[in-house]
Structure formats: structure tokens, C-alpha cells
Amino acid sequence: MKTAVILLPGLNRDRDMIAAIKKVSGQEPVTVWQTDTDIPDVDLIVVPGGFSYGDYLRCGAIAARMPFMKALKAKADKGVHVMGVCNGFQILLEAGLLPGALMRNASLKFVCKEVELEVVNAKTAFTSAYTKDQIIRCPVAHHDGNYFADAKTLKALQDGDQIAFRYANGTNPNGSIDDIAGIINKKGNVLGMMPHPENLIESAHGGTDGRGLFESALNIAAA
Amino acid sequence: MIKARVIVTLKNGVLDPQGKAIEGALTALSFDGVDQVRQGKVFDVVIDHDNKKKAQADINAMCEKLLANTVIEDFAVELV
């Protein structure tokens, strides 16, 4: 699996993401700097987590307007798979690649803990290594993960099976509408999620529940 | 020079936990009669020409493209 990881000033989960991709796929991802106008031919583009541009204006707002985004959008339109985690999810929403918005946590507190996720749709390219309704553990670390979409958008997400993950068993850490933790676009090639699967991929992390995401993505290259 | 003030507010129906916290703090300060507080943002933009029509159109476009997230926010522009 050939992967590109986008780098922006203020991200801090990029190294974890690169390590996870390398460990699961066996291949070193290429990195793309925010001002690059070209993204190499890859199977998967990942926008990692952190605090790009210090969360100025709105989380992900400035990053989503940087030059790399034009190339990323063109690739996504062509069907290349894109995954945004945490700040990466915020960036993909700000860029309009996914519907809705992420707002300040309902508690107003930064949450850094482990939650439980329900795999709502196990038929996506990012979740096929899981089974539907499976409950997995996953860490979260964010201040603005409170997913919001208007009633029409929410219904479209529900009816279109576009909710990939929900917070399970009362572990919703941020007030997200319908307990949404991760969504996928209509075409099925762009996923955004707040939790950090890259931080639970080997026994040293205390579990491997996040590994399935990367193992699922391996099939993108094979397909 | 044209000075513009852009006011960005959350749309009705969008939950505003920060506004709620401020509302609670005002009550804690013993201000009575506060029914609701909604938090917003103000941007003062200075334009380097005097064409009001162009400035208005440009600032509207700036709001649509960057200053507001129209999924959750409304904006208003005042030229001064």
C-alpha cells in the first residue's frame, strides 16, 4: 500500500501516523508538505491529527485553504482514498470533503482518554477488517470533537450508511450528535474520524483495536 | 480606505456550549434577567481602495470562503 501523509505546521500526531502505517503496511509513507501542489500517485492519503495553525479561526480552517488541498480534492474526486484523523477530520470537513462541522466539546473540556466505538458500517474500505456492531477500544484527544450536522444532513448520513463509527456504551466524550465518531462520504473513499486508531496498533500501546483500520486499508491497494 | 466589520454568529439551533458557560457565569455574578448568551466573532477588515461595491462583494466572498463556516455560522457585514 502506497501512502502519502500530509504535513502541516502545528500537527503533532504525524509521527504516530507514519509509524502505524509503516508497521502495518511494511512501507514507508511519502510525506507531502502543505505548500506542495502535487501529491504523488498513492493508494491512500492521510491527514493526521494535531493543532494545525494553532486552531486559529476554527479548527482546520486555515489548513483546509492551503495549496495541498487542491491536489487532495482532485485525487479524492478521482477515487483515491483519503483518511482524516482528529485535526485531519476537522480539515476534511472545513474543505467540504465531508458534510457537517466539529464544534467545541459540550463539556468545554479537552478530553484525553479511551472510549468505546461501535463499528456501524463494516463494508467500507477503511472498516472491512471489523465486523458490523463490533465494539472496539480507541483513544481520543481533542477539544473540538462535537460533531454537528443539520437534520437533513444527519438523515442523509443515517440513510446512506455513511456513519462509520459511533461512540458506544455511553462513552460519547464530546456531545456529538447521534454519538457520531466517524463518517464516510457518499462515494465511500473519504473517511473522517475523531478517535486515534494509530495509537492502538501494537501490544506496547496496550491493545491492537485500531489496527483493523490500517489492515482494512491494505486491501485498497490490492483491489 | 474602507473599513468593514464582519460579525459571525452561530446559526439558530446550533448548540453553543461556550455561550451557555458565559450565561452561567453572568448568573454567578448575580446579574439577573439574563435569558440567553450566544458567543460570536468580530473581524475588522481594512480595504485599501474606496470602491464600496467591490468591497462589499469581496468581503461577502471572504465570509463564504473562510471567515464563516456556513454549515454552523451566519455572517453580517457592515461597511463603516
Side-chain angles (χ1 to χ4, degrees), chain A residues 72-96:
Chain A
L72 191 150
K73 274 186 178 168
K75 293 271 184 192
D77 282 348
K78 278 191 201 151
V80 174
H81 286 76
V82 178
M83 175 165 90
V85 170
C86 199
N87 194 208
F89 184 17
Q90 294 163 341
I91 293 167
L92 295 181
L93 287 164
E94 278 284 344

Side-chain angles (χ1 to χ4, degrees), chain A residues 185-219:
Chain A
N185 66 341
K186 225 181 251 176
K187 209 157 108 185
N189 67 319
V190 179
L191 172 92
M193 63 189 295
M194 279 319 287
H196 288 281
E198 75 276 20
N199 289 145
L200 207 62
I201 61 140
E202 57 188 340
S203 54
H205 290 156
T208 57
D209 285 16
R211 205 177 167 92
L213 253 125
F214 300 93
E215 282 168 351
S216 305
L218 286 178
N219 295 321

Side-chain angles (χ1 to χ4, degrees), chain A residues 74-127:
Chain A
K75 293 271 184 192
D77 282 348
K78 278 191 201 151
V80 174
H81 286 76
V82 178
M83 175 165 90
V85 170
C86 199
N87 194 208
F89 184 17
Q90 294 163 341
I91 293 167
L92 295 181
L93 287 164
E94 278 284 344
L97 280 163
L98 290 167
L102 285 157
M103 306 184 50
R104 183 53 47 102
N105 293 344
S107 65
L108 297 177
K109 291 194 177 93
F110 189 96
V111 289
C112 181
K113 60 178 180 183
E114 189 176 286
V115 297
E116 288 181 27
L117 298 180
E118 173 197 345
V119 180
V120 182
N121 182 347
K123 287 185 185 152
T124 80
F126 304 94
T127 55

